[in-house]
């Protein structure tokens, strides 16, 4: 089981991924819900520190070996966990998830990253995963942000 969890650790893979797809113009990153599972016992500060130390401080400073460019990063705050409907693994995640948007915005601003707040998007009956309409809305939010970034070039 430990090996399976390690294989899903994006912080261990991100630099290899950026190198393999070099040059990368833009990375869209949404995380935080899994980190709020009760089993990890993560504080909001720890979740923010993980995002900042492993992604926000790393991705925008990873230079391409081909053209020297660095990818831009869009940080997406995930939807709020609907705790009464979520699996018991997410006990305590509802209140914490309500604050991720504020924390992620601060991290994005501090590290000159872009930010999207998807916290208002609806989750399904499992209390965690977005419904179809929310996926469509998130896709539009990301597309609009990317268009704005491209216009600034």
């Amino acid at each position: 089981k430990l090996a399976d969890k390690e294989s899903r650790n994006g912080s261990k893979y991100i630099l290899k991924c950026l190198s393999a797809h070099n040059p990368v113009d833009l990375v869209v990153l949404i995380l935080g819900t899994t980190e709020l599972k009760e089993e990890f016992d993560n504080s909001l500060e720890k979740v923010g520190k993980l995002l900042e130390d492993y992604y926000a401080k790393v991705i925008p400073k990873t230079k391409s070996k081909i053209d020297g460019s660095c990818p831009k990063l869009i940080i997406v705050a995930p939807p709020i966990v609907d705790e009464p409907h979520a699996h018991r693994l997410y006990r305590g995640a509802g209140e914490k998830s309500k604050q991720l948007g504020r924390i992620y915005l601060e991290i994005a601003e501090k590290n000159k990253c872009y930010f999207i707040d998807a916290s208002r998007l609806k989750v399904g009956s499992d209390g965690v995963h977005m419904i179809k309409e929310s996926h469509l809305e998130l896709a539009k939010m990301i597309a609009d942000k990317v268009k704005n970034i491209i216009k600034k070039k």
Side-chain angles (χ1 to χ4, degrees):
K1 245 185 168 180
L2 180 62
D4 185 47
K5 286 185 180 184
E6 285 296 314
S7 70
R8 292 182 278 154
N9 185 336
S11 68
K12 298 197 183 304
Y13 177 69
I14 191 67
L15 292 176
K16 293 175 191 170
C17 181
L18 293 173
S19 178
H21 300 283
N22 184 19
V24 175
D25 295 317
L26 179 69
V27 174
V28 179
L29 182 70
I30 180 169
L31 70 123
T33 304
T34 300
E35 289 71 23
L36 294 178
K37 283 183 177 178
E38 185 179 43
E39 69 181 289
F40 300 128
D41 193 30
N42 285 329
S43 66
L44 282 168
E45 292 75 22
K46 184 171 182 184
V47 174
K49 186 164 175 40
L50 291 168
L51 172 80
E52 186 168 26
D53 291 349
Y54 291 112
Y55 302 101
K57 287 182 177 179
V58 174
I59 293 170
K61 294 180 178 137
T62 303
K63 286 192 175 195
S64 164
K65 291 179 180 146
I66 294 174
D67 64 8
S69 66
C70 296
K72 292 174 178 30
L73 174 61
I74 300 174
I75 297 171
V76 182
I80 294 170
V81 174
D82 182 8
E83 200 171 335
H85 296 100
H87 190 276
R88 69 185 186 308
L89 293 173
Y90 291 94
R91 196 169 313 147
E95 277 307 308
K96 288 180 181 178
S97 66
K98 290 177 185 176
Q99 298 176 57
L100 280 180
R102 175 184 54 80
I103 290 168
Y104 284 11
L105 174 60
E106 289 172 9
I107 292 168
E109 289 174 344
K110 180 178 167 186
N111 292 281
K112 298 181 175 83
C113 300
Y114 296 92
F115 175 74
I116 294 174
D117 188 357
S119 64
R120 64 179 177 73
L121 298 179
K122 292 183 180 175
V123 295
S125 60
D126 71 351
V128 177
H129 298 97
M130 292 185 296
I131 60 173
K132 177 183 175 182
E133 293 79 11
S134 292
H135 278 278
L136 294 171
E137 192 170 343
L138 180 58
K140 183 177 179 341
M141 293 165 74
I142 292 170
D144 289 346
K145 182 67 79 174
V146 170
K147 287 176 191 172
N148 287 332
I149 293 169
I150 291 169
K151 284 181 188 176
K152 291 180 182 179
K153 274 189 159 183

